[in-house]
């Protein structure tokens, strides 16, 4: 009522004021609509195919080396692209840490896959420390996991423990694309007091050996995931101190063809791997009889939720050699002593892993598993062991080297409990 009376008491000017008041918001809306339309035209379309790849942040790494594993995304539909898949490929190289992965307009209706990376510290002197139940070893290695910026691996160093010492050197040339031929060469020399133990960690054989091993080889990538290899090795083992049931000296020339298949996935916290490998070796006896060896390995890691994954691992090995020098410790079997050896074995491990803390320098995770191992040897006979294993892992984001870990395992069959601390060692 008050507003109506006010209008009736005025003449002329109030009508202009009313029209101006109505026109002003319309004009503002029109301006914003035009601006919005202009911004919509300038912003990249939601779809389109990936036409090119742009990588920023490289210093040492050659561009073709970093670019090739990512070229498989060219031609992909940008709208359905999983950026975590892109991150998995970058992290799987082992030398780069992704900082940003995004899509940008290429000006022609397509999209640019734009990536900013940070190179890991690849050339470093790295300590190796391993502490276990009654065992310890210390070493220093100089590693270059990105030699000459080509993603080649080079290493040289040594290891010492109360049981002996070891020196080694190796170089591995990695082709930057499928269909490329890679090669490797290396050598190792050690003097070691060997103790073969049973599942209760009781020594039943002890002797000291001098071992020289040289191992050149070739590797061929059939696809991004499937590769084959052929290695040649020369091994000579001289038994120096025969304390308890020591074997004789041995010298063999090995020929080892093999195949491996590998995929990976990044869930934002943990890099998961799915892989399988098969390797056969014919060992021609230069001193002693010839024999055959077959090794299989498999790993299946699946992210159930971001930072929470299923870990499955299996391994097996068989040899027809009766020489204890060529028996093997079951891989992936933390519940057995480190010096346990068998002529052939089969192992399975299943468990879960959950990240606890993620920060700039890496990720700490907690994991647990249940392990089952079947083994057979000429002295110990057949046996099946099982039990839990678990611990903490620290994945270093800036170092292109293995992780740090603390773990424990319990063998239900033998009652043996073991503790282990590893820095710069495999798990």
């Amino acid at each position: 009522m008050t507003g109506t009376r006010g209008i009736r008491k005025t003449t002329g000017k109030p009508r202009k004021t009313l029209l101006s008041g109505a026109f002003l918001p319309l004009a503002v809306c029109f301006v914003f609509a035009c601006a919005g339309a202009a911004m919509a035209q300038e912003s990249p379309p939601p779809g389109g195919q990936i036409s090119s790849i742009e990588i920023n942040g490289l210093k040492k790494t050659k561009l073709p080396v970093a670019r090739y594993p990512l070229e498989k995304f060219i031609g992909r539909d940008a709208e359905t692209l999983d950026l975590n898949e892109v991150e998995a490929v970058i992290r799987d190289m082992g030398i780069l840490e992704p900082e940003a992965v995004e899509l940008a307009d290429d000006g022609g209706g397509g999209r640019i896959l734009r990536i900013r990376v940070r190179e890991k510290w690849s050339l470093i002197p790295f300590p190796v420390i391993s502490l276990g139940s009654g065992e310890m070893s210390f070493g220093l290695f100089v590693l270059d996991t990105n030699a000459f910026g080509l993603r080649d691996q080079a290493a040289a160093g040594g290891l010492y423990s109360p049981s002996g010492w070891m020196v080694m050197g190796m170089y591995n040339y990695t082709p930057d694309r499928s269909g490329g031929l890679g090669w490797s060469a290396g050598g190792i020399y050690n003097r070691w007091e060997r103790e073969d133990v049973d599942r209760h960690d009781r020594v039943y054989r002890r002797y000291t050996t001098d071992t020289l091993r040289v191992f050149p080889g070739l590797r061929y990538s059939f696809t991004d995931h499937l590769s084959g290899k052929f290695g040649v090795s020369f091994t000579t083992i001289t038994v120096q101190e025969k304390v308890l049931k020591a074997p004789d000296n041995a010298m063999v020339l090995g020929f080892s063809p093999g195949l491996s298949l590998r995929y990976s996935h990044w869930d934002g916290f943990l890099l998961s791997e799915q892989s399988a490998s098969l390797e056969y070796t014919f060992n021609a006896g230069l001193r002693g009889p010839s024999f055959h060896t077959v090794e299989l390995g498999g790993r299946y890691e699946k992210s159930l939720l971001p930072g929470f994954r299923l870990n499955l691992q299996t391994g097996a090995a068989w040899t027809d050699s009766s020489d204890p020098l060529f028996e093997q410790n079951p891989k992936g079997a933390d519940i057995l002593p480190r010096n346990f050896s068998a002529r052939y074995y089969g192992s399975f491990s299943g468990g879960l892993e959950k990240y606890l803390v993620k920060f700039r320098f890496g990720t700490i995770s907690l994991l647990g598993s249940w392990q089952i191992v079947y083994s057979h040897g000429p002295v110990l006979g057949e046996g099946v062991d099982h039990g839990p294993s678990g611990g903490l892992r620290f994945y270093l984001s800036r170092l292109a080297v293995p992780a740090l870990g603390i773990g424990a395992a319990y063998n239900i069959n033998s009652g043996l409990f073991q503790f282990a601390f590893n820095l710069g060692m495999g798990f």
Side-chain angles (χ1 to χ4, degrees):
M1 295 294 295
T2 305
T4 304
R5 288 174 184 168
I7 292 174
R8 287 179 178 175
K9 289 181 181 179
T10 57
T11 58
K13 291 182 180 180
R15 292 187 180 274
K16 288 183 179 181
T17 304
L18 181 62
L19 291 174
S20 300
F23 176 76
L24 182 59
L26 289 175
V28 172
C29 291
F30 179 77
V31 171
F32 276 100
C34 292
M39 292 176 64
Q41 292 178 356
E42 293 176 358
S43 62
Q49 291 186 336
I50 296 175
S51 60
S52 62
I53 298 172
E54 181 182 304
I55 305 176
N56 299 305
L58 298 178
K59 296 179 180 178
K60 178 181 178 181
T61 307
K62 307 299 183 184
L63 180 59
V65 173
R67 178 184 171 84
Y68 171 70
L70 298 162
E71 288 181 351
K72 65 180 181 179
F73 297 111
I74 295 179
R76 291 270 194 99
D77 186 353
E79 196 170 9
T80 60
L81 179 66
D82 183 0
L83 297 183
N84 279 335
E85 183 183 356
V86 179
E87 284 209 27
V89 172
I90 299 170
R91 293 177 183 275
D92 209 27
M93 295 182 201
I95 57 175
L96 302 175
E97 184 77 11
E99 291 189 321
V101 179
E102 58 188 11
L103 296 170
D105 184 20
D106 68 356
R111 307 297 292 276
I112 300 172
L113 180 57
R114 183 170 292 160
I115 300 167
R116 187 174 72 251
V117 298
R118 179 175 54 189
E119 291 186 334
K120 294 185 178 183
W121 300 330
S122 61
L123 179 59
I124 51 172
F126 196 78
V128 174
I129 302 173
S130 180
L131 304 175
S133 299
E135 298 181 10
M136 64 180 67
S137 59
F138 306 90
L140 180 65
F141 287 80
V142 177
L143 307 177
D144 192 347
T145 55
N146 190 16
F148 306 108
L150 299 174
R151 216 181 91 183
D152 294 353
Q153 296 89 41
L159 191 69
Y160 172 81
S161 84
S163 300
W165 54 269
M166 176 268 287
V167 292
M168 63 87 67
M170 60 83 63
Y171 190 93
N172 181 29
Y173 167 73
T174 304
D176 60 359
R177 58 184 60 247
S178 62
L181 185 65
W183 57 267
S184 62
I188 182 171
Y189 182 85
N190 67 59
R191 169 168 288 186
W192 219 262
E193 182 187 36
R194 293 181 53 165
E195 292 184 341
D196 294 335
V197 303
D198 61 15
R199 56 184 41 86
H200 300 278
D201 205 22
R202 295 178 301 209
V203 179
Y204 66 89
R205 187 163 47 218
R206 180 186 291 121
Y207 52 96
T208 300
T209 61
D210 284 350
T211 302
L212 172 65
R213 186 168 186 264
V214 182
F215 43 93
L218 299 174
R219 187 180 186 90
Y220 186 81
S221 300
F222 298 104
T223 69
D224 293 341
H225 305 287
L226 178 65
S227 63
K229 70 173 185 177
F230 183 81
V232 179
S233 62
F234 170 78
T235 305
T236 175
I237 304 175
T238 304
V239 180
Q240 298 287 2
E241 298 179 18
K242 301 181 179 182
V243 180
L244 178 64
K245 299 179 181 179
D248 295 326
N249 301 338
M251 182 184 297
V252 298
L253 184 63
F255 303 91
S256 305
L259 284 173
S260 61
L261 182 69
R262 188 176 188 277
Y263 293 84
S264 62
H265 177 74
W266 172 252
D267 67 0
F269 297 90
L270 298 171
L271 182 66
S272 299
E273 173 187 327
Q274 299 85 43
S275 63
S277 63
L278 169 64
E279 182 175 338
Y280 162 77
T281 303
F282 171 70
N283 296 280
L286 304 179
R287 183 187 301 161
S290 300
F291 60 96
H292 308 267
T293 300
V294 179
E295 294 185 66
L296 300 98
R299 183 185 295 269
Y300 182 82
E301 298 171 340
K302 176 67 175 179
S303 177
L304 305 177
L305 295 170
F308 182 62
R309 74 180 181 192
L310 173 69
N311 292 342
L312 303 177
Q313 184 176 354
T314 184
W318 170 90
T319 180
D320 62 350
S321 171
S322 59
D323 193 334
L325 291 172
F326 300 102
E327 292 183 354
Q328 301 186 57
N329 179 272
K331 296 178 182 177
D334 301 327
I335 59 175
L336 288 172
R338 295 188 180 186
N339 293 330
F340 181 89
S341 63
R343 183 177 295 182
Y344 50 86
Y345 72 88
S347 66
F348 174 80
S349 174
L352 299 169
E353 183 172 2
K354 176 69 174 69
Y355 99 96
L356 299 178
V357 181
K358 182 179 180 180
F359 49 97
R360 180 180 178 184
F361 295 102
T363 301
I364 298 177
S365 68
L366 174 68
L367 71 158
S369 66
W370 193 272
Q371 300 180 354
I372 303 174
V373 186
Y374 166 80
S375 60
H376 182 276
V379 177
L380 302 179
E382 289 185 302
V384 177
D385 297 89
H386 66 98
S389 174
L392 295 173
R393 284 184 182 173
F394 179 27
Y395 299 96
L396 302 172
S397 61
R398 292 301 307 276
L399 298 180
V401 293
L404 176 150
I406 301 173
Y410 178 71
N411 189 327
I412 292 179
N413 298 74
S414 65
L416 179 65
F417 175 82
Q418 297 186 96
F419 167 81
F421 169 83
N422 296 285
L423 172 65
M425 300 287 286
F427 296 95

